[in-house]
Amino acid sequence: MGLVGELLALPLAPARGTLWVLRQVVAEAERQYYDPSVIRAELARLTELLEAGEIDEVEFDRREDELLTRLGYGVRQGVAREPGASTGSGAAPEENRTATR
C-alpha cells in the first residue's frame, strides 16, 4: 500500500482491530454452540428432565429436535471440527440445501 496509504489508513486501525476481535468472539461462540459434546450433554439432561417428569413429551420432542438440528448443522458446516471456522453465509440449514428431485 505504501507509506502514504498506511498513514491515511492509520485512523482506521482501532476499527479494524475491533472488527477482528468481534469475528474471533463470534467464531468461538459458534464453536461452543455447535460442539457435539455440549449438545450430547444437553440431550442427556433433557432425557433426565423427561424421566423426572419436569417436562412433558411435547416439550421433550421440541427441544430434542432443536438440539439434533444444531448437531447436524454444526457438523455439516464444519464448525465443530474446525475451531474458529465460520458458518459461511449464516443461512439456516434448510436454505443451504439443494433440490434433489
Side-chain angles (χ1 to χ4, degrees):
M1 185 187 277
L3 182 59
V4 175
E6 289 292 327
L7 289 174
L8 292 174
L10 194 57
L12 299 175
R16 287 186 295 190
T18 301
L19 287 175
W20 180 84
V21 169
L22 289 174
R23 284 187 194 110
Q24 299 305 310
V25 169
V26 168
E28 179 62 18
E30 287 177 345
R31 187 192 65 73
Q32 290 179 11
Y33 184 74
Y34 292 114
D35 184 359
S37 62
V38 172
I39 295 172
R40 286 187 195 104
E42 290 180 30
L43 284 168
R45 175 70 181 134
L46 191 59
T47 303
E48 291 173 4
L49 290 173
L50 177 66
E51 291 172 353
E54 295 180 33
I55 60 173
D56 61 3
E57 283 283 334
V58 173
E59 178 68 10
F60 175 82
D61 289 339
R62 185 187 64 76
R63 291 170 61 180
E64 181 186 42
D65 288 344
E66 290 173 3
L67 290 170
L68 293 175
T69 300
R70 228 170 80 190
L71 180 63
Y73 184 66
V75 170
R76 278 196 309 274
Q77 296 302 317
V79 173
R81 291 177 296 200
E82 300 172 8
S86 174
T87 58
S89 65
E94 295 76 24
E95 295 172 1
N96 287 334
R97 292 190 208 148
T98 57
T100 56
R101 295 181 212 175

